[in-house]
Amino acid sequence: MKIDSKNFIIDGLNTKVLAKKYSTPLYCYSFSKIKENITKFTHSFKELNPIICFAVKANSNKTLLGEINKLGLGADVVSIGELTKAIKSGINPKKIVFSGVGKTADEISFAIKKRILLINAESKSEILQIEKIAKKQNKIVNIGIRLNPNTDANTIDQISTGKKENKFGVSEKIFLDLVKYSKNSKYLNLKCLSVHIGSQILELKPYEKMLKIVNKVIKKTNYNFEYIDLGGGMGINYENNYKQLNLKGYCKSIIKNLKNYKSKIIFEPGRFIIGNSGFLISKIIYIKEGHKKDFIILDAAMNDLMRPALYNAKHKIIPVNKNKKKSKKIYEFVGPICESTDKFSSLTKFQKLNEKDLIIICDVGAYGMSLSSNYNLRPKATEILIKNSKVKVISKRQSLKDLM
Ligand code: LLP
């Protein structure tokens, strides 16, 4: 991918031309960036030769899933919707793992019928439910059990999942009980220990802590797990401080901590694969003078990109028309939605902007479109994929009719 600072070229295409042709707000993905991320991920963990299951919740566009499949990844899904779409996009069920604390009987039944790689169970009740359905279908089902390692991921609280107060996984004690139970079941084939401590993790320490606990717990079970599913969570750099997770260090730490086992490693990365491949192009509708600041009112809003409103997440904003003038006032980038949280960023010394100018919100490939909604009855944006300098519309903007 190349973003030329004067022309804002994404993979050979001028964003101004794209905005004109497809209108705004416009989600735009770079295929070369997705490929680069997958290569980097695979390369960093090559000693492990892991199974990489893309977390579909990060982005569930069917064309993108198809491309990710062609680049060799499987899928981590959390609903019958995601599972169906992953299969429809070409992903082999043998490369699909199913996570989540509340899988319904219908979802479990469907997953069993599709013979997916693993259902990662998160409670005793779920294991009993899987067993009951397996018995009814007279099948032996491959399962994992998700351990809650009580490890702080050191990330935003709302996306932390590995502490004992979180709803995810089971404690060590329950884990050991469930291993015993599953071992003796005629319908369950316990194959995996799974764990996922949170998202947007940039430090190695939480992972190292988690690995020590995983090792300790596996030792106690004295059981040969065919797989250890370490989840996802690998963070990306949303700001300009170049802070990055040391993937190779993580790989070394896995080898060091889990060297006693022959288990195959599974990863479930979402954000790392697709986060920085997405750009949201938006047009300034109005510039409104406020108290000590100017509101830059965009045609994109929190329904298009929820992360700032939900987690106070920061995404870089870049003007498309470069000039050398600096604004004396603070610019507050907001959307048209009737909520004060419909705000992307407050920036000082931003370059001077004018009404109708275009801006680009960066790194929106993960949890951008997938978290979008029709709030305020706003249509979902068009999504395009740029591959080999060609544009493909991968999801059309909803029409008013779609919303009625
Ligand atoms: N595996 C499991 C079991 C998960 O719960 C998640 C994310 C992943 C894998 C993928 O995590 P990733 O590699 O993408 O960090 N909406 C939030 C993120 C929520 C993540 C939920 N679970 C955000 O926009 O930051």
Side-chain angles (χ1 to χ4, degrees):
M1 183 193 55
K2 215 169 90 197
I3 308 176
D4 175 319
S5 64
K6 277 197 190 105
N7 296 300
F8 292 97
I9 306 290
I10 302 175
D11 283 4
L13 292 171
N14 190 323
T15 43
K16 234 188 262 180
V17 178
L18 294 175
K20 196 159 179 209
K21 179 152 185 204
Y22 299 101
S23 176
T24 53
L26 176 69
Y27 266 96
C28 178
Y29 302 95
S30 151
F31 173 79
S32 64
K33 200 76 205 168
I34 298 173
K35 193 170 165 194
E36 185 185 313
N37 294 337
I38 292 180
T39 306
K40 190 170 171 201
F41 194 94
T42 315
H43 185 74
S44 306
F45 293 107
K46 71 170 183 291
E47 281 178 77
L48 295 166
N49 189 23
I51 299 176
I52 307 169
C53 296
F54 174 68
V56 174
K57 63 173 85 63
N59 194 314
S60 52
N61 182 281
K62 199 170 146 200
T63 308
L64 294 180
L65 292 179
E67 296 290 355
I68 287 169
N69 169 47
K70 280 186 242 154
L71 292 167
L73 271 54
D76 157 50
V77 301
V78 291
S79 69
I80 195 165
E82 286 190 359
L83 176 53
T84 308
K85 210 166 189 186
I87 295 171
K88 274 191 196 273
S89 71
I91 298 175
N92 185 337
K94 289 268 161 298
K95 282 164 86 176
I96 299 181
V97 298
F98 196 163
S99 314
V101 295
K103 303 174 198 81
T104 64
D106 282 348
E107 290 181 314
I108 292 168
S109 176
F110 184 73
I112 295 176
K113 280 194 188 121
K114 293 289 170 193
R115 297 183 183 279
I116 65 169
L117 177 62
L118 290 165
I119 301 180
N120 285 334
E122 304 216 17
S123 62
K124 175 145 195 199
S125 304
E126 187 187 342
I127 288 195
L128 296 178
Q129 180 75 286
I130 297 171
E131 190 180 37
K132 191 169 137 195
I133 298 168
K135 189 174 175 189
K136 216 158 116 195
Q137 293 188 20
N138 196 24
K139 285 202 184 107
I140 298 170
V141 179
N142 297 335
I143 64 158
I145 305 174
R146 178 162 170 184
L147 173 73
N148 181 321
N150 194 19
T151 306
D152 191 345
N154 233 346
T155 179
I156 312 167
D157 251 5
Q158 298 99 309
I159 54 178
S160 200
T161 54
K163 290 190 276 183
K164 64 173 184 291
E165 57 267 34
N166 299 127
K167 69 181 173 184
F168 302 98
V170 295
S171 66
E172 176 183 323
K173 185 182 169 303
I174 297 178
F175 187 89
L176 297 175
D177 288 347
L178 290 178
V179 170
K180 257 188 222 147
Y181 181 85
S182 309
K183 269 198 312 200
N184 295 322
S185 165
K186 255 171 68 183
Y187 297 98
L188 301 174
N189 187 3
L190 176 61
K191 288 201 161 193
C192 179
L193 173 148
S194 84
V195 65
H196 171 81
I197 56 173
S199 200
Q200 184 52 16
I201 299 171
L202 287 169
E203 293 165 21
L204 214 50
K205 277 232 165 72
Y207 281 126
E208 287 174 338
K209 260 173 102 178
M210 167 190 98
L211 288 167
K212 283 203 172 75
I213 294 166
V214 167
N215 177 30
K216 184 187 87 182
V217 173
I218 295 184
K219 242 187 219 159
K220 281 192 189 170
T221 61
N222 198 20
Y223 185 79
N224 278 332
F225 287 94
E226 187 174 333
Y227 303 103
I228 300 174
D229 179 345
L230 296 172
M234 300 80 177
I236 61 168
N237 189 260
Y238 283 103
E239 289 157 63
N240 274 328
N241 58 11
Y242 301 102
K243 200 171 170 189
Q244 276 197 347
L245 175 66
N246 177 358
L247 289 184
K248 285 192 176 156
Y250 184 20
C251 180
K252 274 195 192 128
S253 184
I254 294 169
I255 294 170
K256 189 175 128 206
N257 283 286
L258 305 178
K259 61 179 177 297
N260 292 335
Y261 315 110
K262 290 199 185 76
S263 321
K264 183 98 175 153
I265 297 296
I266 299 176
F267 288 116
E268 301 168 355
R271 190 186 319 263
F272 190 90
I273 303 300
I274 199 134
N276 64 2
S277 78
F279 303 83
L280 179 57
I281 307 175
S282 176
K283 196 187 228 164
I284 299 171
I285 307 176
Y286 299 122
I287 297 183
K288 174 175 166 173
E289 225 175 285
H291 179 61
K292 290 190 186 160
K293 60 187 169 190
D294 279 346
F295 292 105
I296 307 297
I297 305 174
L298 302 173
D299 64 1
M302 64 189 274
N303 76 299
D304 301 299
L305 178 66
M306 185 71 166
R307 301 192 70 254
L310 206 53
Y311 317 113
N312 204 13
K314 297 279 174 274
H315 287 259
K316 272 181 296 219
I317 297 180
I318 304 176
V320 168
N321 302 305
K322 267 257 183 214
N323 67 42
K324 292 218 162 75
K325 286 179 233 149
K326 288 259 178 286
S327 158
K328 290 194 184 79
K329 281 183 155 178
I330 295 171
Y331 276 166
E332 189 156 306
F333 292 84
V334 300
I337 281 181
C338 306
E339 299 241 8
S340 293
T341 53
D342 184 22
K343 168 183 153 182
F344 295 109
S345 225
S346 255
L347 300 171
T348 49
K349 293 187 193 143
F350 203 83
Q351 80 155 50
K352 186 114 182 56
L353 292 171
N354 296 300
E355 293 183 350
K356 297 198 175 58
D357 280 357
L358 295 168
I359 59 102
I360 300 178
I361 307 180
C362 299
D363 306 313
V364 299
Y367 308 106
M369 195 60 172
S370 64
L371 270 173
S372 71
S373 75
N374 289 126
Y375 187 40
N376 277 207
L377 220 51
R378 288 167 51 87
K380 291 206 184 186
T382 299
E383 290 176 286
I384 58 173
L385 172 66
I386 304 178
K387 185 178 174 185
N388 304 327
S389 296
K390 288 204 180 71
V391 181
K392 184 174 179 192
V393 176
I394 57 173
S395 174
K396 267 199 199 145
R397 188 179 313 286
Q398 288 176 319
S399 66
L400 258 185
K401 212 170 141 204
D402 294 329
L403 299 176
M404 289 305 124

